[in-house]
Amino acid sequence: TRDDVGTAMVPTLAAFQDAVAAALAEPSFLLDLGSVSTDWSYSRTRIPFRLDVGVFDWLTISLLTEGQSLETSLGNLYDDTDGFAPLEGTSAGTALERRVDDFTTGVESFGQATTAGPPPLSEQALTGEDFQRLATEPVYGVLAAPLIPYEGQWGLGDVEVSAALRLLDGVSGRPADSGFRYRLGAEAKVRLATGSVAHPDTLQQLGTGTGQGDVEVRVFGSASLGRRWELWGHARLGFQQSAELVRRVTTPDVVLSPVASKALVSWKPGNTFELYAAPRYRMNDALALTLPYALFTRGADSYTLAATQTDPPTEAPDVTVLNEETEATLHRIGVGAIFSTLPAFRRGESSLPLELRAIYQTAIGGKGGQAPKLSTFRVTFRLFLSFWGDGA
């Protein structure tokens, strides 16, 4: 959601902005192609100080200079059919008409004829089709794929290989009403970069992977008091590995990045930490309610130009801008239900050991530039099979 569509979103619009500014004789003019969700306005007070030198009784130096400047700026503005002109009825459009009228009146006051007519103004604001052209047509310098719904992206993600072991067990062999019980384990996981990376020219593509691998270590456990109350949780550390990939090098607020900003970069994502705690109330052996809480933090990323780049940009971009807004903290809470036949299976009362859980979680707070405000609903089905032993 943006209040204005201009050079902050599309840096390559700077050339068109300069053309309009020259036509208005306003160096501080900012191009505005419309707002996404809100209207905005501004006021400007001008107090000009001007010195005119009379050369003849019918012409002054300042008026001649104004005419030359006006002719040049209007030529630059309207020679490009793919450019932008001020919108009719706006302050910029009115100011441009006034400037042409003032010049015409000034010349005619000296008895001189002029062929200057009213400047052509835009009759409508930027449309969805026009915005599509900003992304795809070469004149605007973005050269991205069309901004259309990107659907049907099914493919292999990042494959994970993990191993877990039990460190402490204060549950097995103890009845459910025996007071305090506990269990503690540890897990190591390697995430392989097998997924596909989002293409830098498809701005709305997410990809099925990040292009780099991770190593995670996790400590998990549970504690219960009597038959009803339980607490499950884990603490996870993620060590993210580096990778080389092509990125459009711009600040996070740029929506349509110039194609000229593409570069091969070396990316080292920030490490991650997650703390998860889920108290449970067991209504009976099969059904439990849970209220999970999760804290997630991510360190800042690090970007450098790749040393293996064979065709570096003519003007190497400052890739450190990609580090901005990558550090984040997120708090999430949720509610869910868990159905399990495991207790009944251990007692020999069920032949199928399975677990079904449905949990809804939403973000309640956070900080950092790109901490996603996610709401998720996850349904998990687990079927336990024993390949050796009695499976108890």
Side-chain angles (χ1 to χ4, degrees):
T1 301
R2 293 294 297 263
D3 292 337
D4 59 323
V5 178
T7 56
M9 288 180 63
V10 191
T12 52
L13 293 178
F16 304 108
Q17 178 174 279
D18 293 342
V20 177
L24 294 173
E26 287 288 348
S28 60
F29 173 78
L30 298 178
L31 188 66
D32 173 21
L33 303 184
S35 61
V36 175
S37 60
T38 60
D39 297 326
W40 63 278
S41 61
Y42 65 90
S43 300
R44 174 179 295 159
T45 300
R46 298 180 61 197
I47 306 178
F49 294 89
R50 178 170 170 174
L51 175 65
D52 293 344
V53 179
V55 180
F56 305 103
D57 60 354
W58 54 270
L59 181 66
T60 63
I61 291 294
S62 61
L63 192 58
L64 177 62
T65 303
E66 171 74 0
Q68 293 172 338
S69 173
L70 181 60
E71 179 185 21
T72 301
S73 61
L74 290 179
N76 292 335
L77 176 61
Y78 292 109
D79 280 349
D80 190 344
T81 57
D82 290 312
F84 300 94
L87 188 65
E88 184 177 1
T90 63
S91 57
T94 303
L96 182 58
E97 290 177 319
R98 185 183 300 117
R99 186 185 180 197
V100 175
D101 289 343
D102 289 346
F103 173 74
T104 302
T105 301
V107 172
E108 291 177 347
S109 67
F110 293 105
Q112 303 298 312
T114 176
T115 58
L121 300 178
S122 296
E123 297 180 354
Q124 65 177 15
L126 198 71
T127 65
E129 182 180 351
D130 295 331
F131 194 85
Q132 187 77 264
R133 292 170 52 215
L134 292 181
T136 58
E137 295 191 2
V139 66
Y140 303 113
V142 177
L143 283 179
L147 300 176
I148 57 178
Y150 193 81
E151 301 174 350
Q153 184 180 10
W154 294 94
L156 181 66
D158 291 341
V159 174
E160 298 177 349
V161 179
S162 64
L165 70 157
R166 185 169 55 198
L167 301 177
L168 299 174
D169 185 5
V171 175
S172 299
R174 302 183 63 181
D177 56 355
S178 62
F180 180 70
R181 297 176 298 154
Y182 60 88
R183 179 171 286 162
L184 183 67
E187 179 186 33
K189 178 185 297 182
V190 176
R191 183 176 294 109
L192 306 176
T194 54
S196 61
V197 181
H199 196 282
D201 293 339
T202 308
L203 306 182
Q204 69 274 36
Q205 186 181 20
L206 297 178
T208 63
T210 60
Q212 48 79 227
D214 302 332
V215 176
E216 290 185 358
V217 292
R218 182 172 74 108
V219 177
F220 59 90
S222 66
S224 58
L225 185 62
R227 291 181 174 271
R228 299 296 185 186
W229 296 99
E230 297 177 344
L231 177 64
W232 294 69
H234 68 248
R236 185 200 314 268
L237 277 173
F239 303 93
Q240 304 207 76
Q241 309 303 302
S242 59
E244 290 187 353
L245 67 166
V246 177
R247 282 282 174 89
R248 293 190 178 221
V249 183
T250 53
T251 54
D253 60 326
V254 175
V255 177
L256 300 182
S257 308
V259 66
S261 68
K262 285 200 302 186
L264 181 64
V265 298
S266 178
W267 173 42
K268 171 60 174 68
N271 293 333
T272 61
F273 171 74
E274 182 182 63
L275 181 65
Y276 178 85
R280 295 181 185 178
Y281 177 74
R282 185 169 294 281
M283 303 182 68
N284 50 51
D285 278 349
L287 183 63
L289 302 180
T290 182
L291 296 173
Y293 163 80
L295 165 67
F296 175 82
T297 65
R298 171 192 171 102
D301 292 0
S302 174
Y303 284 90
T304 57
L305 274 177
T308 58
Q309 187 160 238
T310 57
D311 187 19
T314 54
E315 185 175 341
D318 181 12
V319 295
T320 59
V321 299
L322 294 174
N323 303 337
E324 297 179 11
E325 301 187 13
T326 55
E327 188 174 4
T329 299
L330 189 65
H331 300 270
R332 304 178 71 195
I333 61 171
V335 60
I338 302 170
F339 174 80
S340 175
T341 64
L342 294 180
F345 175 77
R346 294 189 181 102
R347 295 193 303 266
E349 299 173 1
S350 174
S351 60
L352 193 63
L354 61 84
E355 183 180 85
L356 177 66
R357 60 179 65 195
I359 297 178
Y360 170 81
Q361 282 187 291
T362 186
I364 59 171
K367 62 181 180 179
Q370 299 185 45
K373 189 177 181 180
L374 295 176
S375 294
T376 60
F377 180 70
R378 177 177 297 177
V379 177
T380 305
F381 175 79
R382 302 173 69 189
L383 176 63
F384 298 88
L385 300 177
S386 177
F387 293 98
W388 56 81
D390 59 7

